[in-house]
Coordinates of all heavy atoms in Angstrom, one line a residue:
A293 N 0.8 -1.3 0.0 CA 0.0 0.0 0.1 C 0.9 1.2 0.0 O 0.4 2.3 -0.6 CB -1.0 0.0 1.2
L294 N 2.0 1.1 0.6 CA 2.9 2.3 0.6 C 3.3 2.7 -0.7 O 3.4 4.0 -1.0 CB 4.2 2.0 1.5 CG 5.1 3.2 1.7 CD1 4.5 4.3 2.4 CD2 6.3 2.7 2.4
W295 N 3.7 1.9 -1.7 CA 4.0 2.3 -3.0 C 2.8 2.9 -3.8 O 3.1 3.9 -4.6 CB 4.4 0.9 -3.8 CG 5.7 0.4 -3.4 CD1 5.9 -0.8 -2.7 CD2 7.0 1.0 -3.5 NE1 7.3 -0.9 -2.4 CE2 7.9 0.1 -3.0 CE3 7.4 2.1 -4.2 CZ2 9.3 0.4 -2.9 CZ3 8.8 2.3 -4.2 CH2 9.7 1.5 -3.7
R296 N 1.7 2.5 -3.5 CA 0.5 3.1 -4.1 C 0.3 4.6 -3.5 O -0.1 5.5 -4.3 CB -0.7 2.3 -3.9 CG -0.6 1.0 -4.8 CD -1.7 0.0 -4.4 NE -1.5 -1.3 -5.1 CZ -0.8 -2.3 -4.8 NH1 -0.1 -2.2 -3.6 NH2 -0.6 -3.4 -5.5
L297 N 0.5 4.7 -2.3 CA 0.5 6.2 -1.7 C 1.5 7.0 -2.3 O 1.3 8.1 -2.6 CB 0.5 6.0 -0.2 CG -0.7 5.4 0.5 CD1 -0.5 5.3 2.0 CD2 -1.9 6.3 0.3
L298 N 2.7 6.5 -2.5 CA 3.8 7.2 -3.0 C 3.5 7.6 -4.5 O 3.7 8.7 -5.0 CB 5.1 6.4 -3.0 CG 6.3 7.0 -3.6 CD1 6.7 8.3 -2.9 CD2 7.5 6.1 -3.7
F299 N 2.8 6.6 -5.2 CA 2.4 6.9 -6.6 C 1.4 8.1 -6.6 O 1.5 9.0 -7.4 CB 1.7 5.7 -7.2 CG 0.9 6.0 -8.4 CD1 1.5 6.2 -9.7 CD2 -0.5 6.1 -8.4 CE1 0.8 6.4 -10.8 CE2 -1.3 6.5 -9.5 CZ -0.6 6.6 -10.8
L300 N 0.5 8.1 -5.6 CA -0.5 9.2 -5.7 C 0.2 10.6 -5.3 O -0.2 11.5 -6.0 CB -1.5 9.0 -4.6 CG -2.6 8.0 -4.8 CD1 -3.5 7.7 -3.6 CD2 -3.4 8.4 -6.0
L301 N 1.2 10.5 -4.6 CA 2.0 11.8 -4.2 C 2.7 12.2 -5.5 O 2.6 13.3 -5.9 CB 2.9 11.5 -3.1 CG 3.9 12.7 -2.8 CD1 3.1 13.8 -2.2 CD2 5.0 12.1 -1.9
V302 N 3.4 11.3 -6.1 CA 4.1 11.6 -7.4 C 3.1 12.1 -8.4 O 3.5 13.1 -9.2 CB 4.9 10.6 -7.8 CG1 5.5 10.7 -9.2 CG2 6.1 10.2 -6.9
Q303 N 2.0 11.5 -8.6 CA 1.1 11.9 -9.6 C 0.5 13.4 -9.3 O 0.4 14.1 -10.2 CB -0.1 10.9 -9.6 CG -1.1 11.1 -10.8 CD -2.1 10.0 -10.8 OE1 -2.5 9.5 -9.7 NE2 -2.6 9.7 -12.0
G304 N 0.3 13.6 -8.1 CA -0.2 15.0 -7.8 C 1.0 16.0 -8.0 O 0.7 17.1 -8.5
L305 N 2.2 15.7 -7.7 CA 3.3 16.6 -7.9 C 3.5 16.8 -9.4 O 3.8 17.9 -9.9 CB 4.6 16.1 -7.3 CG 4.6 16.1 -5.7 CD1 5.8 15.4 -5.2 CD2 4.5 17.5 -5.2
E306 N 3.4 15.7 -10.2 CA 3.5 15.9 -11.7 C 2.4 16.8 -12.2 O 2.6 17.6 -13.2 CB 3.4 14.5 -12.3 CG 4.7 13.7 -12.2 CD 5.9 14.5 -12.9 OE1 5.8 14.8 -14.1 OE2 6.9 14.6 -12.2
G307 N 1.2 16.6 -11.7 CA 0.1 17.5 -12.2 C 0.4 18.9 -12.0 O 0.1 19.8 -12.8
I308 N 0.9 19.3 -10.7 CA 1.3 20.7 -10.4 C 2.4 21.2 -11.4 O 2.4 22.3 -11.8 CB 1.7 20.7 -8.9 CG1 0.5 20.5 -8.0 CG2 2.4 22.1 -8.6 CD1 0.8 20.3 -6.5
R309 N 3.4 20.2 -11.6 CA 4.4 20.6 -12.6 C 3.9 20.9 -13.9 O 4.3 21.9 -14.5 CB 5.4 19.5 -12.5 CG 6.7 19.8 -13.2 CD 7.8 18.8 -13.1 NE 7.4 17.6 -13.9 CZ 7.7 17.4 -15.2 NH1 8.3 18.3 -15.9 NH2 7.4 16.3 -15.8
L310 N 3.0 20.1 -14.4 CA 2.4 20.3 -15.7 C 1.7 21.6 -15.8 O 1.8 22.2 -16.9 CB 1.6 19.1 -16.1 CG 2.3 17.8 -16.4 CD1 1.3 16.6 -16.7 CD2 3.2 18.0 -17.7
V311 N 1.0 22.0 -14.8 CA 0.2 23.2 -14.8 C 1.3 24.4 -14.9 O 1.1 25.4 -15.6 CB -0.7 23.5 -13.5 CG1 -1.1 24.8 -13.3 CG2 -1.8 22.5 -13.6
G312 N 2.4 24.2 -14.1 CA 3.4 25.2 -14.3 C 4.1 25.3 -15.5 O 4.6 26.3 -16.0
H313 N 4.1 24.3 -16.4 CA 4.7 24.2 -17.7 C 3.6 24.7 -18.8 O 4.0 24.6 -19.9 CB 5.2 22.8 -18.1 CG 6.6 22.5 -17.4 ND1 7.7 23.2 -17.7 CD2 6.8 21.6 -16.4 CE1 8.7 22.8 -16.9 NE2 8.2 21.8 -16.1
G314 N 2.5 25.1 -18.3 CA 1.4 25.6 -19.3 C 0.4 24.6 -19.8 O -0.2 24.8 -20.8
L315 N 0.2 23.5 -19.0 CA -0.9 22.7 -19.3 C -1.9 22.6 -18.2 O -2.0 21.6 -17.4 CB -0.3 21.3 -19.6 CG -1.3 20.2 -20.1 CD1 -1.9 20.6 -21.4 CD2 -0.8 18.8 -20.2
P316 N -2.7 23.7 -18.0 CA -3.7 23.6 -17.1 C -5.0 22.8 -17.6 O -5.0 22.5 -18.7 CB -4.2 25.1 -16.9 CG -3.8 25.8 -18.1 CD -2.6 25.0 -18.7
P317 N -5.9 22.4 -16.6 CA -7.0 21.6 -17.0 C -7.8 22.3 -18.1 O -8.4 21.6 -18.9 CB -7.8 21.4 -15.7 CG -6.7 21.6 -14.7 CD -5.7 22.5 -15.2
G318 N -8.0 23.6 -18.1 CA -8.8 24.2 -19.1 C -8.0 24.6 -20.3 O -8.4 25.6 -21.0
S319 N -6.9 24.0 -20.6 CA -6.1 24.3 -21.9 C -6.7 23.7 -23.2 O -5.9 23.6 -24.1 CB -4.8 24.0 -21.6 OG -4.6 22.6 -21.5
G320 N -7.9 23.2 -23.2 CA -8.4 22.6 -24.4 C -8.8 21.3 -24.1 O -8.7 20.7 -23.0
M321 N -9.1 20.6 -25.2 CA -9.5 19.2 -25.1 C -8.5 18.2 -24.6 O -8.7 17.4 -23.7 CB -10.1 18.7 -26.5 CG -10.6 17.3 -26.4 SD -12.1 17.4 -25.3 CE -13.4 17.3 -26.6
Y322 N -7.3 18.5 -25.0 CA -6.1 17.6 -24.5 C -6.0 17.7 -23.0 O -5.8 16.7 -22.3 CB -4.9 17.9 -25.2 CG -3.8 17.0 -24.7 CD1 -3.6 15.8 -25.2 CD2 -2.9 17.5 -23.9 CE1 -2.5 14.9 -24.8 CE2 -1.8 16.6 -23.4 CZ -1.6 15.4 -23.8 OH -0.7 14.5 -23.4
G323 N -5.9 18.9 -22.6 CA -5.7 19.2 -21.1 C -6.8 18.7 -20.3 O -6.6 18.0 -19.2
A324 N -8.1 18.9 -20.8 CA -9.3 18.4 -20.1 C -9.3 17.0 -20.0 O -9.5 16.3 -18.9 CB -10.5 18.9 -20.7
T325 N -9.0 16.2 -21.1 CA -9.0 14.8 -21.1 C -8.0 14.2 -20.3 O -8.2 13.3 -19.5 CB -8.8 14.4 -22.6 OG1 -9.9 14.9 -23.5 CG2 -8.9 12.8 -22.7
F326 N -6.8 14.8 -20.4 CA -5.5 14.3 -19.6 C -5.9 14.4 -18.2 O -5.8 13.4 -17.4 CB -4.4 15.1 -19.9 CG -3.2 14.7 -19.1 CD1 -2.5 13.7 -19.4 CD2 -2.8 15.5 -17.9 CE1 -1.3 13.3 -18.7 CE2 -1.6 15.2 -17.3 CZ -0.9 14.1 -17.6
Y327 N -6.4 15.5 -17.7 CA -6.6 15.6 -16.2 C -7.9 14.8 -15.7 O -7.9 14.4 -14.5 CB -6.8 17.2 -15.8 CG -5.5 17.9 -15.8 CD1 -5.1 18.7 -16.8 CD2 -4.6 17.7 -14.7 CE1 -3.9 19.3 -16.7 CE2 -3.4 18.2 -14.7 CZ -3.0 19.1 -15.7 OH -1.7 19.7 -15.7
V328 N -8.8 14.6 -16.6 CA -9.9 13.7 -16.1 C -9.5 12.4 -16.0 O -9.8 11.6 -15.0 CB -11.2 13.8 -17.2 CG1 -12.1 12.6 -17.0 CG2 -11.8 15.2 -17.0
L329 N -8.7 11.9 -17.0 CA -8.1 10.5 -16.8 C -7.3 10.4 -15.6 O -7.3 9.4 -14.9 CB -7.3 10.2 -18.1 CG -8.2 9.8 -19.4 CD1 -7.2 9.7 -20.6 CD2 -9.0 8.6 -19.2
I330 N -6.3 11.3 -15.4 CA -5.4 11.3 -14.3 C -6.2 11.4 -13.0 O -5.9 10.6 -12.0 CB -4.3 12.4 -14.4 CG1 -3.5 12.2 -15.6 CG2 -3.6 12.5 -13.1 CD1 -2.6 10.8 -15.5
G331 N -7.2 12.2 -12.9 CA -8.0 12.3 -11.7 C -8.8 11.0 -11.4 O -8.9 10.6 -10.2
C332 N -9.4 10.4 -12.5 CA -10.1 9.2 -12.2 C -9.2 8.1 -11.8 O -9.5 7.3 -10.9 CB -10.9 8.8 -13.5 SG -12.2 9.8 -13.8
H333 N -8.0 8.0 -12.4 CA -7.0 7.0 -12.0 C -6.5 7.3 -10.5 O -6.5 6.3 -9.8 CB -5.9 7.1 -13.0 CG -4.8 5.9 -12.7 ND1 -3.5 6.2 -12.4 CD2 -5.0 4.7 -12.7 CE1 -2.9 5.1 -12.2 NE2 -3.7 4.1 -12.4
G334 N -6.3 8.5 -10.2 CA -5.9 8.8 -8.8 C -7.0 8.5 -7.8 O -6.8 7.8 -6.8
L335 N -8.2 8.7 -8.2 CA -9.4 8.3 -7.3 C -9.5 6.8 -7.2 O -9.7 6.2 -6.1 CB -10.6 8.9 -7.8 CG -11.9 8.6 -7.0 CD1 -11.8 9.2 -5.6 CD2 -13.2 9.2 -7.7
H336 N -9.3 6.2 -8.3 CA -9.3 4.6 -8.3 C -8.2 4.1 -7.4 O -8.4 3.2 -6.6 CB -9.1 4.1 -9.7 CG -8.8 2.8 -10.0 ND1 -7.4 2.4 -10.2 CD2 -9.5 1.7 -10.0 CE1 -7.4 1.2 -10.4 NE2 -8.6 0.6 -10.3
V337 N -7.0 4.7 -7.5 CA -5.9 4.1 -6.7 C -6.1 4.4 -5.2 O -6.0 3.5 -4.4 CB -4.6 4.8 -7.2 CG1 -3.4 4.4 -6.2 CG2 -4.2 4.2 -8.5
L338 N -6.7 5.6 -4.8 CA -7.0 6.0 -3.5 C -8.0 5.0 -2.9 O -7.8 4.5 -1.8 CB -7.5 7.4 -3.4 CG -7.8 7.9 -2.0 CD1 -6.6 7.8 -1.1 CD2 -8.4 9.3 -2.0
I339 N -9.1 4.7 -3.6 CA -10.1 3.8 -3.1 C -9.6 2.4 -3.0 O -9.8 1.7 -2.0 CB -11.4 3.8 -4.0 CG1 -12.0 5.2 -4.0 CG2 -12.3 2.6 -3.7 CD1 -13.1 5.4 -5.0
A340 N -8.7 1.9 -3.9 CA -8.1 0.7 -3.8 C -7.2 0.6 -2.6 O -7.2 -0.5 -2.0 CB -7.3 0.3 -5.1
V341 N -6.4 1.5 -2.3 CA -5.5 1.5 -1.1 C -6.3 1.5 0.1 O -5.9 0.7 1.1 CB -4.5 2.7 -1.2 CG1 -3.9 3.0 0.1 CG2 -3.6 2.7 -2.3
L342 N -7.4 2.3 0.2 CA -8.2 2.3 1.4 C -8.9 0.9 1.6 O -9.0 0.3 2.7 CB -9.3 3.3 1.4 CG -8.8 4.8 1.4 CD1 -9.9 5.7 1.1 CD2 -8.0 5.0 2.7
W343 N -9.3 0.3 0.5 CA -10.0 -1.0 0.5 C -8.9 -2.1 1.0 O -9.1 -3.0 1.8 CB -10.5 -1.4 -0.9 CG -11.3 -2.7 -0.9 CD1 -11.7 -3.5 0.1 CD2 -11.7 -3.4 -2.0 NE1 -12.4 -4.6 -0.3 CE2 -12.4 -4.5 -1.7 CE3 -11.6 -3.1 -3.4 CZ2 -13.0 -5.4 -2.5 CZ3 -12.1 -4.0 -4.3 CH2 -12.8 -5.1 -3.9
L344 N -7.7 -2.1 0.4 CA -6.6 -3.0 0.8 C -6.2 -2.9 2.2 O -6.1 -3.8 2.9 CB -5.4 -2.7 -0.1 CG -4.3 -3.7 -0.2 CD1 -4.9 -5.1 -0.6 CD2 -3.2 -3.4 -1.2
A345 N -6.2 -1.6 2.7 CA -5.9 -1.3 4.1 C -7.0 -1.9 5.0 O -6.7 -2.6 6.1 CB -5.8 0.1 4.4
A346 N -8.2 -1.8 4.6 CA -9.4 -2.3 5.4 C -9.3 -3.9 5.5 O -9.4 -4.5 6.5 CB -10.7 -1.9 4.9
V347 N -9.1 -4.5 4.4 CA -9.0 -5.9 4.3 C -7.8 -6.4 5.1 O -7.8 -7.5 5.7 CB -8.8 -6.4 2.7 CG1 -8.4 -7.9 2.7 CG2 -10.2 -6.2 2.1
T348 N -6.6 -5.7 5.0 CA -5.5 -6.1 5.8 C -5.8 -6.1 7.2 O -5.4 -7.0 8.1 CB -4.3 -5.2 5.5 OG1 -4.0 -5.4 4.0 CG2 -3.0 -5.6 6.2
L349 N -6.4 -5.0 7.8 CA -6.7 -4.8 9.2 C -7.7 -5.9 9.6 O -7.6 -6.5 10.7 CB -7.3 -3.5 9.5 CG -6.3 -2.3 9.3 CD1 -7.1 -0.9 9.5 CD2 -5.3 -2.4 10.3
R350 N -8.7 -6.2 8.8 CA -9.6 -7.3 9.1 C -8.9 -8.6 9.1 O -9.2 -9.5 10.0 CB -10.8 -7.2 8.1 CG -11.7 -6.0 8.2 CD -12.9 -6.1 7.4 NE -13.8 -7.2 7.8 CZ -14.7 -7.7 7.1 NH1 -15.0 -7.3 5.8 NH2 -15.5 -8.7 7.5
A351 N -8.1 -9.0 8.2 CA -7.3 -10.1 8.1 C -6.5 -10.3 9.4 O -6.3 -11.4 10.0 CB -6.4 -10.2 6.9
R352 N -5.8 -9.2 9.8 CA -5.0 -9.3 11.0 C -5.8 -9.5 12.2 O -5.4 -10.0 13.3 CB -4.1 -8.0 11.2 CG -3.1 -7.9 10.2 CD -2.1 -6.8 10.5 NE -1.1 -6.7 9.5 CZ -0.2 -5.8 9.2 NH1 -0.4 -4.6 9.9 NH2 0.7 -5.8 8.4
G353 N -7.1 -9.0 12.3 CA -8.0 -9.1 13.3 C -8.7 -10.5 13.3 O -9.5 -10.8 14.3
G354 N -8.4 -11.3 12.4 CA -8.9 -12.7 12.4 C -10.4 -12.8 11.9 O -11.1 -13.7 12.1
T355 N -10.8 -11.7 11.1 CA -12.2 -11.7 10.6 C -12.4 -12.8 9.6 O -13.5 -13.3 9.5 CB -12.5 -10.4 10.0 OG1 -12.2 -9.3 11.0 CG2 -13.9 -10.2 9.5
F356 N -11.4 -13.1 8.8 CA -11.6 -14.1 7.7 C -11.3 -15.5 8.2 O -10.3 -15.8 8.9 CB -10.8 -13.7 6.5 CG -11.0 -12.4 6.0 CD1 -10.0 -11.4 6.0 CD2 -12.2 -12.0 5.4 CE1 -10.2 -10.1 5.5 CE2 -12.5 -10.7 5.0 CZ -11.4 -9.9 5.0
D357 N -12.2 -16.4 7.8 CA -12.0 -17.8 8.0 C -12.6 -18.6 6.9 O -13.0 -18.0 5.9 CB -12.6 -18.3 9.4 CG -14.1 -18.1 9.4 OD1 -14.7 -17.9 8.5 OD2 -14.6 -17.9 10.6
A358 N -12.7 -19.9 7.0 CA -13.2 -20.8 5.9 C -14.5 -20.4 5.4 O -14.9 -20.6 4.3 CB -13.0 -22.3 6.2
Q359 N -15.4 -20.0 6.3 CA -16.8 -19.6 6.0 C -16.9 -18.2 5.7 O -17.9 -17.8 4.9 CB -17.7 -20.0 7.2 CG -17.9 -21.4 7.5 CD -16.8 -22.0 8.1 OE1 -16.2 -21.5 8.9 NE2 -16.5 -23.3 7.8
H360 N -16.1 -17.3 6.1 CA -16.2 -15.9 5.9 C -15.0 -15.3 5.3 O -14.1 -14.9 6.0 CB -16.5 -15.1 7.3 CG -17.7 -15.7 8.0 ND1 -17.7 -16.7 9.0 CD2 -19.0 -15.3 7.8 CE1 -18.9 -17.0 9.4 NE2 -19.7 -16.1 8.8
H361 N -15.0 -15.3 4.0 CA -13.9 -14.8 3.3 C -14.2 -14.1 2.0 O -13.3 -13.8 1.2 CB -12.9 -16.1 2.9 CG -13.6 -17.0 2.0 ND1 -14.4 -18.0 2.4 CD2 -13.6 -17.2 0.7 CE1 -14.9 -18.7 1.5 NE2 -14.4 -18.3 0.4
A362 N -15.4 -13.7 1.8 CA -15.9 -13.0 0.6 C -15.2 -11.7 0.4 O -14.8 -11.4 -0.8 CB -17.4 -12.8 0.6
G363 N -15.0 -10.9 1.4 CA -14.3 -9.6 1.3 C -12.9 -9.8 0.9 O -12.4 -9.0 0.0
L364 N -12.2 -10.8 1.4 CA -10.9 -11.0 1.0 C -10.8 -11.5 -0.6 O -9.9 -11.0 -1.3 CB -10.2 -12.1 1.9 CG -8.8 -12.5 1.5 CD1 -7.8 -11.3 1.7 CD2 -8.4 -13.6 2.5
E365 N -11.7 -12.4 -0.8 CA -11.7 -12.9 -2.2 C -12.0 -11.8 -3.2 O -11.5 -11.7 -4.2 CB -12.7 -14.1 -2.3 CG -12.7 -14.8 -3.6 CD -13.5 -16.1 -3.5 OE1 -14.1 -16.5 -2.4 OE2 -13.8 -16.6 -4.6
M366 N -13.0 -10.9 -2.9 CA -13.4 -9.9 -3.8 C -12.2 -8.9 -4.0 O -11.9 -8.5 -5.1 CB -14.6 -9.1 -3.3 CG -15.9 -9.8 -3.5 SD -17.4 -9.0 -3.1 CE -17.3 -8.8 -1.4
C367 N -11.4 -8.6 -2.9 CA -10.3 -7.7 -3.0 C -9.2 -8.4 -4.0 O -8.6 -7.6 -4.8 CB -9.8 -7.5 -1.6 SG -8.4 -6.2 -1.6
A368 N -9.0 -9.6 -3.7 CA -8.0 -10.4 -4.7 C -8.4 -10.3 -6.2 O -7.6 -10.1 -7.0 CB -7.9 -11.8 -4.2
I369 N -9.7 -10.6 -6.3 CA -10.2 -10.6 -7.7 C -10.1 -9.2 -8.3 O -9.6 -9.1 -9.4 CB -11.7 -11.1 -7.8 CG1 -11.7 -12.6 -7.5 CG2 -12.4 -10.7 -9.2 CD1 -13.2 -13.1 -7.3
Y370 N -10.4 -8.2 -7.5 CA -10.2 -6.9 -8.1 C -8.8 -6.6 -8.5 O -8.6 -6.0 -9.5 CB -10.6 -5.8 -6.9 CG -10.3 -4.4 -7.2 CD1 -11.1 -3.7 -8.0 CD2 -9.1 -3.9 -6.7 CE1 -10.7 -2.4 -8.4 CE2 -8.8 -2.6 -7.0 CZ -9.7 -1.8 -7.9 OH -9.3 -0.5 -8.2
W371 N -7.8 -7.0 -7.7 CA -6.4 -6.8 -8.0 C -5.9 -7.5 -9.2 O -5.1 -7.2 -10.0 CB -5.4 -6.9 -6.8 CG -5.6 -5.8 -5.9 CD1 -6.2 -5.8 -4.7 CD2 -5.1 -4.5 -6.1 NE1 -6.1 -4.5 -4.1 CE2 -5.5 -3.7 -5.0 CE3 -4.4 -3.9 -7.2 CZ2 -5.1 -2.4 -4.9 CZ3 -4.1 -2.6 -7.1 CH2 -4.5 -1.7 -6.0
Y372 N -6.6 -8.7 -9.4 CA -6.2 -9.5 -10.6 C -6.8 -8.8 -11.8 O -6.1 -8.7 -12.9 CB -6.8 -10.9 -10.6 CG -6.1 -11.8 -9.7 CD1 -6.7 -12.5 -8.6 CD2 -4.8 -12.2 -9.9 CE1 -6.0 -13.4 -7.9 CE2 -4.0 -13.2 -9.3 CZ -4.7 -13.7 -8.1 OH -4.0 -14.6 -7.3
F373 N -8.0 -8.2 -11.7 CA -8.6 -7.4 -12.8 C -7.7 -6.2 -13.1 O -7.4 -5.9 -14.2 CB -10.0 -6.9 -12.4 CG -10.5 -6.0 -13.3 CD1 -11.1 -6.4 -14.6 CD2 -10.6 -4.7 -13.0 CE1 -11.6 -5.5 -15.5 CE2 -11.2 -3.8 -13.9 CZ -11.6 -4.2 -15.2
V374 N -7.3 -5.5 -12.1 CA -6.3 -4.3 -12.3 C -5.1 -4.7 -13.1 O -4.7 -4.1 -14.0 CB -6.0 -3.7 -11.0 CG1 -5.0 -2.6 -11.2 CG2 -7.3 -3.0 -10.4
C375 N -4.5 -5.8 -12.6 CA -3.3 -6.3 -13.3 C -3.5 -6.7 -14.8 O -2.7 -6.3 -15.7 CB -2.7 -7.4 -12.6 SG -2.0 -7.0 -11.0
A376 N -4.6 -7.3 -15.1 CA -5.0 -7.7 -16.4 C -5.3 -6.5 -17.2 O -4.9 -6.4 -18.5 CB -6.1 -8.7 -16.5
L377 N -6.0 -5.5 -16.7 CA -6.4 -4.3 -17.4 C -5.1 -3.5 -17.7 O -5.0 -2.7 -18.8 CB -7.4 -3.5 -16.6 CG -8.0 -2.2 -17.2 CD1 -8.8 -2.7 -18.4 CD2 -8.8 -1.5 -16.2
W378 N -4.1 -3.5 -16.8 CA -2.9 -2.7 -17.0 C -2.1 -3.2 -18.2 O -1.6 -2.4 -18.9 CB -2.0 -2.8 -15.7 CG -0.8 -2.0 -15.9 CD1 0.5 -2.5 -15.8 CD2 -0.6 -0.6 -16.0 NE1 1.4 -1.6 -15.9 CE2 0.7 -0.3 -16.1 CE3 -1.5 0.5 -16.0 CZ2 1.3 1.0 -16.2 CZ3 -1.0 1.8 -16.2 CH2 0.3 1.9 -16.2
V379 N -2.2 -4.5 -18.4 CA -1.5 -5.1 -19.6 C -2.1 -4.6 -20.9 O -1.4 -4.3 -21.9 CB -1.7 -6.6 -19.6 CG1 -1.1 -7.3 -20.9 CG2 -0.9 -7.2 -18.4
V380 N -3.3 -4.2 -20.9 CA -4.0 -3.7 -22.1 C -3.8 -2.2 -22.2 O -3.5 -1.5 -23.1 CB -5.6 -4.0 -22.0 CG1 -6.2 -3.3 -23.2 CG2 -5.8 -5.5 -22.1
L381 N -4.0 -1.5 -21.0 CA -3.9 0.0 -21.1 C -2.6 0.5 -21.2 O -2.5 1.6 -21.8 CB -4.6 0.6 -19.7 CG -6.1 0.4 -19.6 CD1 -6.5 1.0 -18.3 CD2 -6.8 1.1 -20.7
F382 N -1.6 -0.1 -20.6 CA -0.3 0.5 -20.7 C 0.2 0.7 -22.2 O 0.6 1.9 -22.4 CB 0.7 -0.5 -20.1 CG 2.2 0.1 -20.1 CD1 2.5 1.0 -19.1 CD2 3.1 -0.2 -21.1 CE1 3.8 1.5 -19.0 CE2 4.4 0.3 -21.1 CZ 4.7 1.2 -20.1
P383 N 0.1 -0.2 -23.1 CA 0.4 0.0 -24.5 C -0.4 1.1 -25.2 O 0.1 1.9 -25.9 CB 0.3 -1.3 -25.2 CG 0.2 -2.3 -24.2 CD -0.3 -1.7 -22.9
L384 N -1.7 1.2 -24.8 CA -2.6 2.1 -25.4 C -2.2 3.5 -24.9 O -2.3 4.5 -25.7 CB -4.1 1.9 -25.0 CG -4.7 0.6 -25.7 CD1 -6.0 0.3 -25.2 CD2 -4.7 0.7 -27.2
V385 N -1.8 3.7 -23.7 CA -1.6 5.1 -23.2 C -0.2 5.5 -23.3 O 0.1 6.7 -23.9 CB -1.9 5.1 -21.7 CG1 -1.5 6.4 -21.1 CG2 -3.4 4.9 -21.5
Y386 N 0.8 4.6 -23.3 CA 2.3 5.1 -23.3 C 2.9 4.7 -24.6 O 4.0 5.3 -24.7 CB 2.8 4.4 -22.1 CG 2.5 4.9 -20.8 CD1 1.7 4.2 -20.0 CD2 2.8 6.2 -20.4 CE1 1.2 4.6 -18.7 CE2 2.3 6.8 -19.1 CZ 1.6 5.9 -18.3 OH 1.0 6.5 -17.2
L387 N 2.4 3.8 -25.3 CA 3.2 3.4 -26.5 C 2.5 3.8 -27.8 O 3.0 3.5 -28.9 CB 3.3 1.9 -26.6 CG 4.1 1.3 -25.4 CD1 4.2 -0.2 -25.4 CD2 5.5 1.9 -25.2
T388 N 1.4 4.7 -27.7 CA 0.8 5.2 -29.0 C 0.9 6.7 -29.1 O 1.4 7.4 -28.3 CB -0.7 4.9 -28.9 OG1 -1.3 5.4 -27.8 CG2 -1.0 3.5 -29.0

């Protein structure tokens, strides 16, 4: 979770730097699209980090067992989905 929080910090700093270099959110269609995508991604990462922290705390507290594990399983499925989606999105965003 620490790496994801560091990612959010770097993403925020990069956004501030881009505004300083003349790319504010209102700079046209490109600026608006870029900041909407970055903002949605940042929100997605923040929610995922909070969810992962909650699952970790519940796991340490002994909440999950053989009968009660749906929350843990859903979190794992979510992260598998994120990893699979990243394989598709990375080339589309960074290599085109």
Side-chain angles (χ1 to χ4, degrees):
L294 182 60
W295 289 108
R296 289 168 185 88
L297 291 174
L298 180 62
F299 166 78
L300 286 174
L301 175 67
V302 170
Q303 191 175 30
L305 293 173
E306 283 297 310
I308 292 168
R309 190 175 70 84
L310 286 172
V311 169
H313 284 291
L315 185 66
S319 64
M321 186 59 105
Y322 179 81
T325 302
F326 177 78
Y327 284 104
V328 166
L329 286 173
I330 294 301
C332 287
H333 186 241
L335 180 63
H336 163 262
V337 171
L338 178 62
I339 291 169
V341 166
L342 293 174
W343 187 13
L344 195 57
V347 167
T348 300
L349 291 173
R350 291 184 68 198
R352 287 185 179 166
T355 302
F356 302 117
D357 59 21
Q359 288 78 31
H360 303 95
H361 61 277
L364 179 63
E365 191 171 347
M366 285 187 289
C367 189
I369 290 170
Y370 171 80
W371 284 107
Y372 283 124
F373 171 76
V374 167
C375 290
L377 188 61
W378 182 244
V379 170
V380 175
L381 288 179
F382 184 84
L384 290 175
V385 172
Y386 294 105
L387 302 178
T388 57

